[in-house]
Amino acid sequence: MDIATGPLVERIARVLAGERLSANGHGDQESASGAVDAAWPDYRDAAVAVLHTLRAPSAAMANVGDPAVWERMVLAALDEAKPA
């Protein structure tokens, strides 16, 4: 699976893990990809919380797009994140 186009909750969790672990963020690991691969599930709940926050677009976002479409897209990502 191409991580860049995989489930949004996993992508967000990987970003959160990478920010915590990688020297490019607040971590100390010069090459954190393996650690991120192992740790991202620990950040899944935080990623779901981010998605819940993103359900409602900001005013600036709503001014340039369709808020109903945005909400449906985020809700689809949340549905995708539910256990099978």
Side-chain angles (χ1 to χ4, degrees):
M1 174 187 68
D2 181 3
I3 293 170
T5 59
L8 189 55
V9 72
E10 179 179 344
R11 292 164 43 201
I12 293 169
R14 286 177 173 280
V15 167
L16 295 172
E19 197 280 330
R20 176 63 59 101
L21 299 168
S22 173
N24 291 327
H26 289 102
D28 58 5
Q29 297 185 31
E30 292 297 323
S31 180
S33 64
V36 169
D37 287 344
W40 77 262
D42 297 337
Y43 293 85
R44 191 178 180 291
D45 289 344
V48 169
V50 167
L51 282 172
H52 278 286
T53 300
L54 289 174
R55 281 182 301 178
S58 69
M61 294 166 66
N63 285 335
V64 297
D66 184 338
V69 171
W70 174 264
E71 182 178 16
R72 287 193 308 271
M73 291 171 69
V74 173
L75 289 173
L78 286 166
D79 281 344
E80 182 179 48
K82 290 179 182 172

